[in-house]
Amino acid sequence: MNNKIININTFEINKIPTLKQVDNTAYKLLNAYLSHDYAYFEEIFYKDAFLCDLTLKVLSFVTENQIENIRNTNMKDMLINFKHNTVFNYECALSLILGLSLQRFWLSSLDLCDTQAGKEYYLEHMKSILYIAYKIFLKNSFLQKQNNFADIILILSTHNIGLGILSGLFKIEYNLLLCLAKKNPNSSLLTLEKNLSAMKISTNLCSSGFICHAKIGAIALNKWGLPQKFVESILWHYKDYSGGQFENYIYFLQLCDFILAKYNKSYIKSKKIPNSILKYFDNLDLNMSLTWLETKKDKEADFDLI
């Protein structure tokens, strides 16, 4: 465990199970992904009917059915078609599959509600932020040259995984967080976590005394063996980042989060995107229409992921 990246204690490490203990399919997919054994990756994936169906649903939403009859095609044909796409390509599809597999176990423990700490909000946020990222990449060719979109897809699809882990392993803390979310629907998840930490109801969850889903998610990804670019991006996605090796990923995640909040009538609707992020993307064309949000909600009323 890399304690230089994350300040943690032994309890926190041991509380997080190994990936193999949680989801053996996800464990195999991760190993195949990291070793670039994509043939084996596909072989494992095709045997998991639930994951195939889940992936089809998310891909059809994010890419707006860019592949003809995406809902009616089989996974093998779909992945072959993605190999010919220049933006959301084959590697991006594999990253999304891996991201979904890493978190599906934990999603089952989230409360089925649309508060900041609920499953409905979690799933809506995940697929919407993926869609925003895809739209930005389509409109800005320089991003395609500077960033690995496959890495970004994996980061975006798992950046809130700590919330699911919190609900599965720290049920007392999660239930209290859920109560706070229901009483304060306009508060951010970060604010709710700070309020929860102020209650001092747990001495073991975080060595700093601050309950934070970003930190819990980063601890899990680090323990499971994901590269540090993913670990640090998850860890810093809510914090001010002073720049570093993975700033392109972290700033892009934060940018997508701000855009989604602005157009989703969220708690920071009136808050401006920080200059540190805008300066990093000074050539970015953000003149986009996001009226898709409400129309997609209407069209996807039956979008039942888990």
Side-chain angles (χ1 to χ4, degrees), residues 121-133:
Y121 178 92
Y122 182 103
L123 297 174
E124 181 70 24
H125 182 86
M126 178 188 68
K127 60 192 182 74
S128 296
I129 202 169
L130 284 167
Y131 176 85
I132 288 175

Side-chain angles (χ1 to χ4, degrees), residues 17-127:
T18 66
L19 185 56
K20 191 173 184 178
Q21 290 174 319
V22 172
D23 190 320
N24 194 46
T25 296
Y27 171 76
K28 292 179 180 178
L29 288 173
L30 176 60
N31 287 334
Y33 182 89
L34 294 178
S35 62
H36 303 287
D37 189 350
Y38 297 150
Y40 183 52
F41 186 102
E42 288 191 38
E43 179 184 339
I44 300 167
F45 172 59
Y46 296 144
K47 294 178 181 178
D48 194 317
F50 177 85
L51 192 56
C52 286
D53 182 62
L54 176 60
T55 302
L56 277 171
K57 288 180 178 180
V58 176
L59 280 173
S60 65
F61 182 94
V62 173
T63 65
E64 292 186 306
N65 294 310
Q66 62 158 311
I67 295 179
E68 187 176 358
N69 298 320
I70 190 172
R71 289 245 193 192
N72 299 320
T73 190
N74 61 58
M75 288 305 306
K76 288 186 179 181
D77 290 341
M78 189 197 70
L79 288 179
I80 290 174
N81 288 334
F82 270 115
K83 291 181 179 180
H84 305 295
N85 192 279
T86 56
V87 179
F88 204 111
N89 56 23
Y90 175 75
E91 286 75 19
C92 291
L94 297 189
S95 293
L96 178 60
I97 293 168
L98 177 60
L100 294 174
S101 73
L102 290 174
Q103 60 191 314
R104 64 171 173 177
F105 173 84
W106 306 104
L107 291 179
S108 61
S109 58
L110 284 169
D111 189 89
L112 188 61
C113 66
D114 60 358
T115 70
Q116 291 276 339
K119 182 189 294 184
E120 294 176 25
Y121 178 92
Y122 182 103
L123 297 174
E124 181 70 24
H125 182 86
M126 178 188 68
K127 60 192 182 74

Side-chain angles (χ1 to χ4, degrees), residues 49-236:
F50 177 85
L51 192 56
C52 286
D53 182 62
L54 176 60
T55 302
L56 277 171
K57 288 180 178 180
V58 176
L59 280 173
S60 65
F61 182 94
V62 173
T63 65
E64 292 186 306
N65 294 310
Q66 62 158 311
I67 295 179
E68 187 176 358
N69 298 320
I70 190 172
R71 289 245 193 192
N72 299 320
T73 190
N74 61 58
M75 288 305 306
K76 288 186 179 181
D77 290 341
M78 189 197 70
L79 288 179
I80 290 174
N81 288 334
F82 270 115
K83 291 181 179 180
H84 305 295
N85 192 279
T86 56
V87 179
F88 204 111
N89 56 23
Y90 175 75
E91 286 75 19
C92 291
L94 297 189
S95 293
L96 178 60
I97 293 168
L98 177 60
L100 294 174
S101 73
L102 290 174
Q103 60 191 314
R104 64 171 173 177
F105 173 84
W106 306 104
L107 291 179
S108 61
S109 58
L110 284 169
D111 189 89
L112 188 61
C113 66
D114 60 358
T115 70
Q116 291 276 339
K119 182 189 294 184
E120 294 176 25
Y121 178 92
Y122 182 103
L123 297 174
E124 181 70 24
H125 182 86
M126 178 188 68
K127 60 192 182 74
S128 296
I129 202 169
L130 284 167
Y131 176 85
I132 288 175
Y134 175 60
K135 281 295 187 183
I136 293 177
F137 260 74
L138 281 178
K139 290 175 65 69
N140 297 274
S141 58
F142 82 94
L143 277 179
Q144 300 170 24
K145 300 176 182 178
Q146 295 180 359
N147 294 271
N148 185 334
F149 195 38
D151 285 347
I152 287 175
I153 290 296
L154 183 53
I155 291 168
L156 292 176
S157 62
T158 59
H159 73 284
N160 279 334
I161 192 173
L163 180 61
I165 298 174
L166 176 67
S167 69
L169 298 181
F170 306 96
K171 296 186 182 299
I172 294 177
E173 289 85 351
Y174 175 71
N175 287 332
L176 287 172
L177 183 65
L178 194 64
C179 290
L180 288 174
K182 290 178 178 179
K183 292 180 180 179
N184 304 278
N186 295 320
S187 295
S188 71
L189 186 57
L190 184 62
T191 298
L192 295 173
E193 288 175 333
K194 288 180 178 179
N195 291 339
L196 182 60
S197 298
M199 295 179 183
K200 298 181 179 179
I201 48 87
S202 175
T203 58
N204 293 319
L205 183 53
C206 285
S207 56
S208 64
F210 177 42
I211 296 169
C212 177
H213 73 282
K215 181 179 178 182
I216 294 172
I219 291 171
L221 265 58
N222 199 28
K223 183 171 184 176
W224 296 343
L226 275 81
Q228 288 304 309
K229 57 187 173 184
F230 302 112
V231 175
E232 286 207 50
S233 296
I234 302 304
L235 178 65
W236 288 93

Side-chain angles (χ1 to χ4, degrees), residues 4-20:
K4 294 181 180 180
I5 298 297
I6 310 171
N7 180 25
I8 55 178
N9 58 31
T10 304
F11 175 86
E12 291 171 297
I13 301 174
N14 294 337
K15 187 72 173 179
I16 304 293
T18 66
L19 185 56
K20 191 173 184 178

Side-chain angles (χ1 to χ4, degrees), residues 190 194 210 212 214 232-244 246-247 250-251 254-255 258 271-277:
L190 184 62
K194 288 180 178 179
F210 177 42
C212 177
E232 286 207 50
S233 296
I234 302 304
L235 178 65
W236 288 93
H237 79 267
Y238 264 138
K239 303 177 182 179
D240 293 333
Y241 191 67
S242 58
F246 308 118
E247 62 183 8
I250 295 170
Y251 285 151
Q254 292 180 349
L255 175 68
F258 269 98
K271 189 174 181 179
K272 294 182 179 180
I273 299 175
N275 288 332
S276 58
I277 297 178

